[in-house]
Amino acid sequence: DFSIYLTGGSEINGATQYISGGQGFFLKVDSPGNIGTFYTDNSARLHNAEPTYKDPEVNFLRLSAEGGVFSDETIICFNENASESFDSEYDAYKFIVSDNVNHLYSRTSEDFSLAINTLPNILLDNGISVPLSYNVVESDSYTITATELESFLEANIILEDILLGTTTDLNENPIYIFTANPEDDPDRFIIHFNISSTQTQDYVLQEGYQ
């Protein structure tokens, strides 16, 4: 599995800002066409890594999917400095590097697949629905677990399973169990923030998730 760490402190699959010796990594430039040289010296070497902490004012939802022999994570969070479009400082693309592992990720209005998806706080205040996709490689029972919900205080967070036509209040039940197989449409979930369960069907019809 890929691990991702952003300079703001968000991470998935246990990543930190520290890279082990011999470990490969990707770098992404902040705008298309930028070229240059990445350089570091021995001063960057460390024997011990201090724990990292995320900004407590950021609303931060971690979703973990498990089943079979594979697991994956994705993050959806809200930050007043983020935008709805891709922000290199706050967002991270989802790399679908192999069809032989499961992948959990959210999607933007521009249909980008993101491992870390940071949106402006105003959208949380007004209510927003975020498409969530899960590719699986074998028929099995799976779970999606929501953690770090305490950062949302009184926010209403609902997981909708479009395939089954069900909704789950993640504040009351943060673990959702379901069956999936490779033939299922991976775009089967939606995370609704501050949208009541009576409004979710209207969203599905308007956005074409049928």
Side-chain angles (χ1 to χ4, degrees):
D1 292 343
F2 268 80
S3 297
I4 297 174
Y5 177 84
L6 295 179
T7 54
S10 298
E11 56 79 19
I12 60 172
N13 295 325
T16 71
Q17 69 268 46
Y18 305 105
I19 302 170
S20 301
Q23 184 71 54
F25 61 94
F26 289 96
L27 294 174
K28 182 183 180 298
V29 297
D30 56 5
S31 61
N34 277 1
I35 59 174
T37 301
F38 175 77
Y39 172 79
T40 186
D41 57 28
N42 288 341
S43 65
R45 292 184 175 183
L46 292 173
H47 294 288
N48 296 294
E50 293 296 325
T52 58
Y53 302 92
K54 61 181 181 293
D55 185 346
E57 297 182 358
V58 174
N59 302 112
F60 185 98
L61 175 65
R62 183 186 302 274
L63 297 165
S64 304
E66 296 184 353
V69 298
F70 299 111
S71 64
D72 200 9
E73 293 183 345
T74 193
I75 288 173
I76 302 171
C77 50
F78 296 85
N79 185 311
E80 63 182 5
N81 297 317
S83 71
E84 292 186 60
S85 299
F86 180 86
D87 304 300
S88 60
E89 183 177 355
Y90 301 109
D91 300 316
Y93 290 118
K94 179 66 179 182
F95 292 102
I96 309 296
V97 295
S98 173
D99 293 331
N100 298 317
V101 296
N102 300 340
H103 295 286
L104 180 69
Y105 52 95
S106 66
R107 291 188 291 109
T108 69
S109 58
E110 299 158 326
D111 213 27
F112 291 132
S113 299
L114 297 180
I116 299 176
N117 186 1
T118 306
L119 297 161
N121 283 341
I122 189 65
L123 296 182
L124 177 63
D125 296 337
N126 294 336
I128 184 174
S129 298
V130 180
L132 181 71
S133 302
Y134 189 39
N135 301 68
V136 302
V137 298
E138 60 183 358
S139 299
D140 209 333
S141 177
Y142 295 89
T143 63
I144 292 178
T145 302
T147 58
E148 307 188 48
L149 291 159
E150 62 274 7
S151 70
F152 285 89
L153 298 177
E154 300 300 323
N156 182 32
I157 305 176
I158 294 174
L159 170 65
E160 179 173 7
D161 186 331
I162 303 169
L163 180 63
L164 299 182
T166 60
T167 58
T168 300
D169 187 334
L170 293 178
N171 293 298
E172 296 181 358
N173 184 9
I175 300 176
Y176 179 66
I177 302 173
F178 61 100
T179 300
N181 64 75
E183 288 73 38
D184 292 339
D185 185 347
D187 305 329
R188 68 178 279 183
F189 299 106
I190 307 171
I191 302 291
H192 300 280
F193 296 90
N194 286 331
I195 293 179
S196 69
S197 58
T198 58
Q199 294 176 290
T200 57
Q201 186 60 35
D202 291 337
Y203 172 84
V204 170
L205 293 176
Q206 291 171 4
E207 299 297 326
Y209 294 98
Q210 302 183 42

PDB file of all heavy atoms in Angstrom, residues 149-185:
ATOM      1  N   LEU A 149     -13.788  11.396  14.555  1.00  0.00           N
ATOM      2  CA  LEU A 149     -15.034  12.137  14.393  1.00  0.00           C
ATOM      3  C   LEU A 149     -15.170  13.272  15.405  1.00  0.00           C
ATOM      4  O   LEU A 149     -15.948  14.203  15.192  1.00  0.00           O
ATOM      5  CB  LEU A 149     -16.227  11.181  14.538  1.00  0.00           C
ATOM      6  CG  LEU A 149     -16.412  10.148  13.423  1.00  0.00           C
ATOM      7  CD1 LEU A 149     -17.259   8.993  13.922  1.00  0.00           C
ATOM      8  CD2 LEU A 149     -17.052  10.790  12.214  1.00  0.00           C
ATOM      9  N   GLU A 150     -14.426  13.187  16.516  1.00  0.00           N
ATOM     10  CA  GLU A 150     -14.565  14.191  17.566  1.00  0.00           C
ATOM     11  C   GLU A 150     -14.198  15.592  17.094  1.00  0.00           C
ATOM     12  O   GLU A 150     -14.629  16.592  17.682  1.00  0.00           O
ATOM     13  CB  GLU A 150     -13.708  13.811  18.779  1.00  0.00           C
ATOM     14  CG  GLU A 150     -12.220  13.739  18.518  1.00  0.00           C
ATOM     15  CD  GLU A 150     -11.755  12.393  17.994  1.00  0.00           C
ATOM     16  OE1 GLU A 150     -12.614  11.534  17.698  1.00  0.00           O
ATOM     17  OE2 GLU A 150     -10.530  12.198  17.877  1.00  0.00           O
ATOM     18  N   SER A 151     -13.435  15.702  16.000  1.00  0.00           N
ATOM     19  CA  SER A 151     -13.054  17.025  15.515  1.00  0.00           C
ATOM     20  C   SER A 151     -14.224  17.767  14.873  1.00  0.00           C
ATOM     21  O   SER A 151     -14.140  18.964  14.622  1.00  0.00           O
ATOM     22  CB  SER A 151     -11.903  16.914  14.510  1.00  0.00           C
ATOM     23  OG  SER A 151     -12.331  16.318  13.304  1.00  0.00           O
ATOM     24  N   PHE A 152     -15.328  17.054  14.604  1.00  0.00           N
ATOM     25  CA  PHE A 152     -16.472  17.673  13.942  1.00  0.00           C
ATOM     26  C   PHE A 152     -17.517  18.201  14.922  1.00  0.00           C
ATOM     27  O   PHE A 152     -18.515  18.781  14.511  1.00  0.00           O
ATOM     28  CB  PHE A 152     -17.139  16.666  12.993  1.00  0.00           C
ATOM     29  CG  PHE A 152     -16.360  16.445  11.729  1.00  0.00           C
ATOM     30  CD1 PHE A 152     -15.391  15.463  11.672  1.00  0.00           C
ATOM     31  CD2 PHE A 152     -16.590  17.214  10.606  1.00  0.00           C
ATOM     32  CE1 PHE A 152     -14.660  15.248  10.511  1.00  0.00           C
ATOM     33  CE2 PHE A 152     -15.867  17.014   9.441  1.00  0.00           C
ATOM     34  CZ  PHE A 152     -14.902  16.033   9.389  1.00  0.00           C
ATOM     35  N   LEU A 153     -17.315  17.975  16.217  1.00  0.00           N
ATOM     36  CA  LEU A 153     -18.244  18.450  17.235  1.00  0.00           C
ATOM     37  C   LEU A 153     -19.660  17.975  16.921  1.00  0.00           C
ATOM     38  O   LEU A 153     -19.947  16.802  17.005  1.00  0.00           O
ATOM     39  CB  LEU A 153     -18.158  19.973  17.354  1.00  0.00           C
ATOM     40  CG  LEU A 153     -16.784  20.514  17.797  1.00  0.00           C
ATOM     41  CD1 LEU A 153     -16.800  22.038  17.820  1.00  0.00           C
ATOM     42  CD2 LEU A 153     -16.406  19.968  19.158  1.00  0.00           C
ATOM     43  N   GLU A 154     -20.563  18.869  16.548  1.00  0.00           N
ATOM     44  CA  GLU A 154     -21.972  18.504  16.361  1.00  0.00           C
ATOM     45  C   GLU A 154     -22.328  18.203  14.907  1.00  0.00           C
ATOM     46  O   GLU A 154     -23.506  18.104  14.573  1.00  0.00           O
ATOM     47  CB  GLU A 154     -22.874  19.636  16.883  1.00  0.00           C
ATOM     48  CG  GLU A 154     -22.687  19.955  18.356  1.00  0.00           C
ATOM     49  CD  GLU A 154     -22.989  18.759  19.247  1.00  0.00           C
ATOM     50  OE1 GLU A 154     -23.922  18.013  18.936  1.00  0.00           O
ATOM     51  OE2 GLU A 154     -22.268  18.582  20.244  1.00  0.00           O
ATOM     52  N   ALA A 155     -21.378  18.081  14.035  1.00  0.00           N
ATOM     53  CA  ALA A 155     -21.675  17.853  12.616  1.00  0.00           C
ATOM     54  C   ALA A 155     -22.351  16.501  12.404  1.00  0.00           C
ATOM     55  O   ALA A 155     -22.019  15.509  13.046  1.00  0.00           O
ATOM     56  CB  ALA A 155     -20.401  17.936  11.785  1.00  0.00           C
ATOM     57  N   ASN A 156     -23.303  16.479  11.489  1.00  0.00           N
ATOM     58  CA  ASN A 156     -24.012  15.259  11.121  1.00  0.00           C
ATOM     59  C   ASN A 156     -23.274  14.620   9.943  1.00  0.00           C
ATOM     60  O   ASN A 156     -23.105  15.252   8.896  1.00  0.00           O
ATOM     61  CB  ASN A 156     -25.455  15.602  10.733  1.00  0.00           C
ATOM     62  CG  ASN A 156     -26.266  14.371  10.391  1.00  0.00           C
ATOM     63  OD1 ASN A 156     -26.045  13.309  10.953  1.00  0.00           O
ATOM     64  ND2 ASN A 156     -27.191  14.522   9.464  1.00  0.00           N
ATOM     65  N   ILE A 157     -22.808  13.366  10.097  1.00  0.00           N
ATOM     66  CA  ILE A 157     -22.038  12.695   9.045  1.00  0.00           C
ATOM     67  C   ILE A 157     -22.715  11.369   8.718  1.00  0.00           C
ATOM     68  O   ILE A 157     -22.835  10.492   9.579  1.00  0.00           O
ATOM     69  CB  ILE A 157     -20.579  12.456   9.475  1.00  0.00           C
ATOM     70  CG1 ILE A 157     -19.930  13.770   9.909  1.00  0.00           C
ATOM     71  CG2 ILE A 157     -19.777  11.827   8.338  1.00  0.00           C
ATOM     72  CD1 ILE A 157     -18.522  13.623  10.440  1.00  0.00           C
ATOM     73  N   ILE A 158     -23.161  11.227   7.475  1.00  0.00           N
ATOM     74  CA  ILE A 158     -23.911  10.056   7.038  1.00  0.00           C
ATOM     75  C   ILE A 158     -23.171   9.363   5.901  1.00  0.00           C
ATOM     76  O   ILE A 158     -22.720  10.013   4.950  1.00  0.00           O
ATOM     77  CB  ILE A 158     -25.331  10.454   6.577  1.00  0.00           C
ATOM     78  CG1 ILE A 158     -26.153  10.976   7.765  1.00  0.00           C
ATOM     79  CG2 ILE A 158     -26.041   9.281   5.913  1.00  0.00           C
ATOM     80  CD1 ILE A 158     -27.502  11.530   7.369  1.00  0.00           C
ATOM     81  N   LEU A 159     -23.038   8.047   6.004  1.00  0.00           N
ATOM     82  CA  LEU A 159     -22.504   7.232   4.913  1.00  0.00           C
ATOM     83  C   LEU A 159     -23.672   6.622   4.164  1.00  0.00           C
ATOM     84  O   LEU A 159     -24.498   5.911   4.746  1.00  0.00           O
ATOM     85  CB  LEU A 159     -21.606   6.123   5.469  1.00  0.00           C
ATOM     86  CG  LEU A 159     -21.166   5.049   4.474  1.00  0.00           C
ATOM     87  CD1 LEU A 159     -20.270   5.635   3.394  1.00  0.00           C
ATOM     88  CD2 LEU A 159     -20.457   3.904   5.194  1.00  0.00           C
ATOM     89  N   GLU A 160     -23.757   6.895   2.875  1.00  0.00           N
ATOM     90  CA  GLU A 160     -24.816   6.327   2.046  1.00  0.00           C
ATOM     91  C   GLU A 160     -24.237   5.236   1.153  1.00  0.00           C
ATOM     92  O   GLU A 160     -23.225   5.432   0.480  1.00  0.00           O
ATOM     93  CB  GLU A 160     -25.476   7.398   1.183  1.00  0.00           C
ATOM     94  CG  GLU A 160     -26.564   6.819   0.282  1.00  0.00           C
ATOM     95  CD  GLU A 160     -27.344   7.878  -0.471  1.00  0.00           C
ATOM     96  OE1 GLU A 160     -26.967   9.058  -0.395  1.00  0.00           O
ATOM     97  OE2 GLU A 160     -28.327   7.510  -1.147  1.00  0.00           O
ATOM     98  N   ASP A 161     -24.873   4.074   1.152  1.00  0.00           N
ATOM     99  CA  ASP A 161     -24.535   2.978   0.258  1.00  0.00           C
ATOM    100  C   ASP A 161     -25.555   3.001  -0.871  1.00  0.00           C
ATOM    101  O   ASP A 161     -26.712   2.606  -0.695  1.00  0.00           O
ATOM    102  CB  ASP A 161     -24.585   1.645   1.015  1.00  0.00           C
ATOM    103  CG  ASP A 161     -24.097   0.471   0.177  1.00  0.00           C
ATOM    104  OD1 ASP A 161     -24.230   0.527  -1.066  1.00  0.00           O
ATOM    105  OD2 ASP A 161     -23.606  -0.511   0.757  1.00  0.00           O
ATOM    106  N   ILE A 162     -25.134   3.493  -2.031  1.00  0.00           N
ATOM    107  CA  ILE A 162     -26.058   3.646  -3.158  1.00  0.00           C
ATOM    108  C   ILE A 162     -26.547   2.294  -3.649  1.00  0.00           C
ATOM    109  O   ILE A 162     -27.717   2.135  -4.022  1.00  0.00           O
ATOM    110  CB  ILE A 162     -25.369   4.420  -4.306  1.00  0.00           C
ATOM    111  CG1 ILE A 162     -24.879   5.781  -3.820  1.00  0.00           C
ATOM    112  CG2 ILE A 162     -26.309   4.588  -5.490  1.00  0.00           C
ATOM    113  CD1 ILE A 162     -23.974   6.487  -4.802  1.00  0.00           C
ATOM    114  N   LEU A 163     -25.665   1.293  -3.656  1.00  0.00           N
ATOM    115  CA  LEU A 163     -26.036  -0.020  -4.158  1.00  0.00           C
ATOM    116  C   LEU A 163     -27.179  -0.630  -3.361  1.00  0.00           C
ATOM    117  O   LEU A 163     -28.119  -1.201  -3.923  1.00  0.00           O
ATOM    118  CB  LEU A 163     -24.812  -0.950  -4.125  1.00  0.00           C
ATOM    119  CG  LEU A 163     -25.031  -2.376  -4.626  1.00  0.00           C
ATOM    120  CD1 LEU A 163     -25.420  -2.362  -6.110  1.00  0.00           C
ATOM    121  CD2 LEU A 163     -23.775  -3.226  -4.412  1.00  0.00           C
ATOM    122  N   LEU A 164     -27.112  -0.497  -2.046  1.00  0.00           N
ATOM    123  CA  LEU A 164     -28.142  -1.080  -1.180  1.00  0.00           C
ATOM    124  C   LEU A 164     -29.255  -0.100  -0.835  1.00  0.00           C
ATOM    125  O   LEU A 164     -30.279  -0.493  -0.280  1.00  0.00           O
ATOM    126  CB  LEU A 164     -27.504  -1.603   0.108  1.00  0.00           C
ATOM    127  CG  LEU A 164     -26.448  -2.698  -0.051  1.00  0.00           C
ATOM    128  CD1 LEU A 164     -25.950  -3.146   1.309  1.00  0.00           C
ATOM    129  CD2 LEU A 164     -27.000  -3.888  -0.837  1.00  0.00           C
ATOM    130  N   GLY A 165     -29.044   1.174  -1.135  1.00  0.00           N
ATOM    131  CA  GLY A 165     -30.055   2.173  -0.818  1.00  0.00           C
ATOM    132  C   GLY A 165     -30.205   2.416   0.674  1.00  0.00           C
ATOM    133  O   GLY A 165     -31.311   2.672   1.161  1.00  0.00           O
ATOM    134  N   THR A 166     -29.098   2.345   1.424  1.00  0.00           N
ATOM    135  CA  THR A 166     -29.146   2.507   2.878  1.00  0.00           C
ATOM    136  C   THR A 166     -28.274   3.681   3.308  1.00  0.00           C
ATOM    137  O   THR A 166     -27.353   4.088   2.594  1.00  0.00           O
ATOM    138  CB  THR A 166     -28.655   1.242   3.598  1.00  0.00           C
ATOM    139  OG1 THR A 166     -27.289   0.980   3.214  1.00  0.00           O
ATOM    140  CG2 THR A 166     -29.520   0.046   3.231  1.00  0.00           C
ATOM    141  N   THR A 167     -28.563   4.221   4.487  1.00  0.00           N
ATOM    142  CA  THR A 167     -27.747   5.267   5.080  1.00  0.00           C
ATOM    143  C   THR A 167     -27.376   4.865   6.497  1.00  0.00           C
ATOM    144  O   THR A 167     -28.147   4.206   7.202  1.00  0.00           O
ATOM    145  CB  THR A 167     -28.483   6.619   5.102  1.00  0.00           C
ATOM    146  OG1 THR A 167     -29.706   6.494   5.838  1.00  0.00           O
ATOM    147  CG2 THR A 167     -28.784   7.102   3.690  1.00  0.00           C
ATOM    148  N   THR A 168     -26.181   5.274   6.917  1.00  0.00           N
ATOM    149  CA  THR A 168     -25.685   4.988   8.259  1.00  0.00           C
ATOM    150  C   THR A 168     -25.155   6.270   8.882  1.00  0.00           C
ATOM    151  O   THR A 168     -24.335   6.958   8.279  1.00  0.00           O
ATOM    152  CB  THR A 168     -24.548   3.946   8.215  1.00  0.00           C
ATOM    153  OG1 THR A 168     -25.044   2.734   7.636  1.00  0.00           O
ATOM    154  CG2 THR A 168     -24.031   3.656   9.608  1.00  0.00           C
ATOM    155  N   ASP A 169     -25.637   6.593  10.071  1.00  0.00           N
ATOM    156  CA  ASP A 169     -25.150   7.743  10.813  1.00  0.00           C
ATOM    157  C   ASP A 169     -23.819   7.353  11.453  1.00  0.00           C
ATOM    158  O   ASP A 169     -23.788   6.563  12.399  1.00  0.00           O
ATOM    159  CB  ASP A 169     -26.159   8.158  11.880  1.00  0.00           C
ATOM    160  CG  ASP A 169     -25.778   9.453  12.581  1.00  0.00           C
ATOM    161  OD1 ASP A 169     -24.567   9.774  12.634  1.00  0.00           O
ATOM    162  OD2 ASP A 169     -26.676  10.137  13.084  1.00  0.00           O
ATOM    163  N   LEU A 170     -22.719   7.898  10.939  1.00  0.00           N
ATOM    164  CA  LEU A 170     -21.399   7.502  11.422  1.00  0.00           C
ATOM    165  C   LEU A 170     -21.116   7.996  12.834  1.00  0.00           C
ATOM    166  O   LEU A 170     -20.256   7.442  13.524  1.00  0.00           O
ATOM    167  CB  LEU A 170     -20.315   7.995  10.465  1.00  0.00           C
ATOM    168  CG  LEU A 170     -20.316   7.345   9.077  1.00  0.00           C
ATOM    169  CD1 LEU A 170     -19.222   7.955   8.201  1.00  0.00           C
ATOM    170  CD2 LEU A 170     -20.124   5.832   9.169  1.00  0.00           C
ATOM    171  N   ASN A 171     -21.811   9.025  13.278  1.00  0.00           N
ATOM    172  CA  ASN A 171     -21.640   9.469  14.650  1.00  0.00           C
ATOM    173  C   ASN A 171     -22.165   8.431  15.640  1.00  0.00           C
ATOM    174  O   ASN A 171     -21.610   8.246  16.720  1.00  0.00           O
ATOM    175  CB  ASN A 171     -22.358  10.801  14.875  1.00  0.00           C
ATOM    176  CG  ASN A 171     -21.722  11.935  14.099  1.00  0.00           C
ATOM    177  OD1 ASN A 171     -20.571  12.265  14.312  1.00  0.00           O
ATOM    178  ND2 ASN A 171     -22.468  12.519  13.181  1.00  0.00           N
ATOM    179  N   GLU A 172     -23.235   7.736  15.259  1.00  0.00           N
ATOM    180  CA  GLU A 172     -23.833   6.728  16.127  1.00  0.00           C
ATOM    181  C   GLU A 172     -23.206   5.353  15.905  1.00  0.00           C
ATOM    182  O   GLU A 172     -23.071   4.560  16.836  1.00  0.00           O
ATOM    183  CB  GLU A 172     -25.345   6.649  15.892  1.00  0.00           C
ATOM    184  CG  GLU A 172     -26.088   7.926  16.266  1.00  0.00           C
ATOM    185  CD  GLU A 172     -27.575   7.796  16.045  1.00  0.00           C
ATOM    186  OE1 GLU A 172     -28.020   6.717  15.571  1.00  0.00           O
ATOM    187  OE2 GLU A 172     -28.306   8.763  16.326  1.00  0.00           O
ATOM    188  N   ASN A 173     -22.844   5.058  14.674  1.00  0.00           N
ATOM    189  CA  ASN A 173     -22.275   3.750  14.338  1.00  0.00           C
ATOM    190  C   ASN A 173     -21.131   3.956  13.352  1.00  0.00           C
ATOM    191  O   ASN A 173     -21.351   3.986  12.135  1.00  0.00           O
ATOM    192  CB  ASN A 173     -23.335   2.829  13.737  1.00  0.00           C
ATOM    193  CG  ASN A 173     -22.806   1.437  13.459  1.00  0.00           C
ATOM    194  OD1 ASN A 173     -21.691   1.088  13.859  1.00  0.00           O
ATOM    195  ND2 ASN A 173     -23.583   0.637  12.758  1.00  0.00           N
ATOM    196  N   PRO A 174     -19.903   4.102  13.838  1.00  0.00           N
ATOM    197  CA  PRO A 174     -18.774   4.436  12.952  1.00  0.00           C
ATOM    198  C   PRO A 174     -18.230   3.258  12.151  1.00  0.00           C
ATOM    199  O   PRO A 174     -17.279   3.438  11.381  1.00  0.00           O
ATOM    200  CB  PRO A 174     -17.721   4.958  13.927  1.00  0.00           C
ATOM    201  CG  PRO A 174     -18.008   4.245  15.205  1.00  0.00           C
ATOM    202  CD  PRO A 174     -19.503   4.100  15.263  1.00  0.00           C
ATOM    203  N   ILE A 175     -18.792   2.064  12.301  1.00  0.00           N
ATOM    204  CA  ILE A 175     -18.314   0.893  11.563  1.00  0.00           C
ATOM    205  C   ILE A 175     -19.444   0.388  10.665  1.00  0.00           C
ATOM    206  O   ILE A 175     -20.526   0.025  11.148  1.00  0.00           O
ATOM    207  CB  ILE A 175     -17.854  -0.235  12.508  1.00  0.00           C
ATOM    208  CG1 ILE A 175     -16.722   0.262  13.405  1.00  0.00           C
ATOM    209  CG2 ILE A 175     -17.406  -1.450  11.705  1.00  0.00           C
ATOM    210  CD1 ILE A 175     -16.275  -0.754  14.435  1.00  0.00           C
ATOM    211  N   TYR A 176     -19.194   0.382   9.354  1.00  0.00           N
ATOM    212  CA  TYR A 176     -20.190  -0.093   8.394  1.00  0.00           C
ATOM    213  C   TYR A 176     -19.685  -1.385   7.768  1.00  0.00           C
ATOM    214  O   TYR A 176     -18.581  -1.444   7.225  1.00  0.00           O
ATOM    215  CB  TYR A 176     -20.432   0.960   7.305  1.00  0.00           C
ATOM    216  CG  TYR A 176     -21.439   0.532   6.273  1.00  0.00           C
ATOM    217  CD1 TYR A 176     -22.773   0.336   6.615  1.00  0.00           C
ATOM    218  CD2 TYR A 176     -21.069   0.321   4.944  1.00  0.00           C
ATOM    219  CE1 TYR A 176     -23.715  -0.062   5.673  1.00  0.00           C
ATOM    220  CE2 TYR A 176     -21.989  -0.070   3.995  1.00  0.00           C
ATOM    221  CZ  TYR A 176     -23.318  -0.264   4.366  1.00  0.00           C
ATOM    222  OH  TYR A 176     -24.234  -0.667   3.426  1.00  0.00           O
ATOM    223  N   ILE A 177     -20.506  -2.437   7.842  1.00  0.00           N
ATOM    224  CA  ILE A 177     -20.144  -3.757   7.318  1.00  0.00           C
ATOM    225  C   ILE A 177     -20.985  -4.033   6.078  1.00  0.00           C
ATOM    226  O   ILE A 177     -22.213  -3.835   6.085  1.00  0.00           O
ATOM    227  CB  ILE A 177     -20.370  -4.854   8.379  1.00  0.00           C
ATOM    228  CG1 ILE A 177     -19.560  -4.546   9.645  1.00  0.00           C
ATOM    229  CG2 ILE A 177     -19.993  -6.227   7.826  1.00  0.00           C
ATOM    230  CD1 ILE A 177     -19.855  -5.486  10.808  1.00  0.00           C
ATOM    231  N   PHE A 178     -20.352  -4.516   5.017  1.00  0.00           N
ATOM    232  CA  PHE A 178     -21.060  -4.764   3.763  1.00  0.00           C
ATOM    233  C   PHE A 178     -20.328  -5.842   2.970  1.00  0.00           C
ATOM    234  O   PHE A 178     -19.192  -6.203   3.273  1.00  0.00           O
ATOM    235  CB  PHE A 178     -21.151  -3.471   2.934  1.00  0.00           C
ATOM    236  CG  PHE A 178     -19.814  -2.896   2.559  1.00  0.00           C
ATOM    237  CD1 PHE A 178     -19.283  -3.093   1.288  1.00  0.00           C
ATOM    238  CD2 PHE A 178     -19.073  -2.166   3.475  1.00  0.00           C
ATOM    239  CE1 PHE A 178     -18.042  -2.572   0.947  1.00  0.00           C
ATOM    240  CE2 PHE A 178     -17.826  -1.632   3.143  1.00  0.00           C
ATOM    241  CZ  PHE A 178     -17.317  -1.837   1.877  1.00  0.00           C
ATOM    242  N   THR A 179     -20.988  -6.339   1.950  1.00  0.00           N
ATOM    243  CA  THR A 179     -20.399  -7.311   1.037  1.00  0.00           C
ATOM    244  C   THR A 179     -20.152  -6.639  -0.301  1.00  0.00           C
ATOM    245  O   THR A 179     -20.989  -5.873  -0.783  1.00  0.00           O
ATOM    246  CB  THR A 179     -21.319  -8.530   0.850  1.00  0.00           C
ATOM    247  OG1 THR A 179     -21.526  -9.162   2.113  1.00  0.00           O
ATOM    248  CG2 THR A 179     -20.708  -9.537  -0.121  1.00  0.00           C
ATOM    249  N   ALA A 180     -19.003  -6.917  -0.894  1.00  0.00           N
ATOM    250  CA  ALA A 180     -18.666  -6.327  -2.185  1.00  0.00           C
ATOM    251  C   ALA A 180     -17.946  -7.358  -3.037  1.00  0.00           C
ATOM    252  O   ALA A 180     -17.367  -8.318  -2.525  1.00  0.00           O
ATOM    253  CB  ALA A 180     -17.795  -5.088  -2.011  1.00  0.00           C
ATOM    254  N   ASN A 181     -18.001  -7.152  -4.352  1.00  0.00           N
ATOM    255  CA  ASN A 181     -17.268  -8.010  -5.278  1.00  0.00           C
ATOM    256  C   ASN A 181     -16.727  -7.156  -6.413  1.00  0.00           C
ATOM    257  O   ASN A 181     -17.143  -6.000  -6.597  1.00  0.00           O
ATOM    258  CB  ASN A 181     -18.156  -9.155  -5.787  1.00  0.00           C
ATOM    259  CG  ASN A 181     -19.328  -8.650  -6.605  1.00  0.00           C
ATOM    260  OD1 ASN A 181     -19.163  -8.241  -7.746  1.00  0.00           O
ATOM    261  ND2 ASN A 181     -20.534  -8.673  -6.022  1.00  0.00           N
ATOM    262  N   PRO A 182     -15.777  -7.672  -7.177  1.00  0.00           N
ATOM    263  CA  PRO A 182     -15.109  -6.856  -8.208  1.00  0.00           C
ATOM    264  C   PRO A 182     -16.047  -6.327  -9.284  1.00  0.00           C
ATOM    265  O   PRO A 182     -15.721  -5.343  -9.953  1.00  0.00           O
ATOM    266  CB  PRO A 182     -14.076  -7.821  -8.807  1.00  0.00           C
ATOM    267  CG  PRO A 182     -13.820  -8.817  -7.724  1.00  0.00           C
ATOM    268  CD  PRO A 182     -15.138  -9.000  -7.028  1.00  0.00           C
ATOM    269  N   GLU A 183     -17.209  -6.964  -9.469  1.00  0.00           N
ATOM    270  CA  GLU A 183     -18.138  -6.514 -10.506  1.00  0.00           C
ATOM    271  C   GLU A 183     -18.973  -5.311 -10.063  1.00  0.00           C
ATOM    272  O   GLU A 183     -19.620  -4.663 -10.884  1.00  0.00           O
ATOM    273  CB  GLU A 183     -19.078  -7.657 -10.909  1.00  0.00           C
ATOM    274  CG  GLU A 183     -18.403  -8.767 -11.720  1.00  0.00           C
ATOM    275  CD  GLU A 183     -17.480  -9.626 -10.861  1.00  0.00           C
ATOM    276  OE1 GLU A 183     -17.843  -9.900  -9.696  1.00  0.00           O
ATOM    277  OE2 GLU A 183     -16.396 -10.002 -11.351  1.00  0.00           O
ATOM    278  N   ASP A 184     -18.968  -5.006  -8.774  1.00  0.00           N
ATOM    279  CA  ASP A 184     -19.732  -3.862  -8.291  1.00  0.00           C
ATOM    280  C   ASP A 184     -19.148  -2.554  -8.822  1.00  0.00           C
ATOM    281  O   ASP A 184     -17.940  -2.442  -9.042  1.00  0.00           O
ATOM    282  CB  ASP A 184     -19.717  -3.807  -6.763  1.00  0.00           C
ATOM    283  CG  ASP A 184     -20.476  -4.954  -6.120  1.00  0.00           C
ATOM    284  OD1 ASP A 184     -21.336  -5.553  -6.809  1.00  0.00           O
ATOM    285  OD2 ASP A 184     -20.227  -5.231  -4.937  1.00  0.00           O
ATOM    286  N   ASP A 185     -20.027  -1.568  -9.024  1.00  0.00           N
ATOM    287  CA  ASP A 185     -19.553  -0.223  -9.348  1.00  0.00           C
ATOM    288  C   ASP A 185     -18.804   0.307  -8.130  1.00  0.00           C
ATOM    289  O   ASP A 185     -19.365   0.395  -7.039  1.00  0.00           O
ATOM    290  CB  ASP A 185     -20.746   0.675  -9.652  1.00  0.00           C
ATOM    291  CG  ASP A 185     -20.335   2.072 -10.119  1.00  0.00           C
ATOM    292  OD1 ASP A 185     -19.145   2.429  -9.968  1.00  0.00           O
ATOM    293  OD2 ASP A 185     -21.201   2.793 -10.628  1.00  0.00           O
TER     294      ASP A 185
END
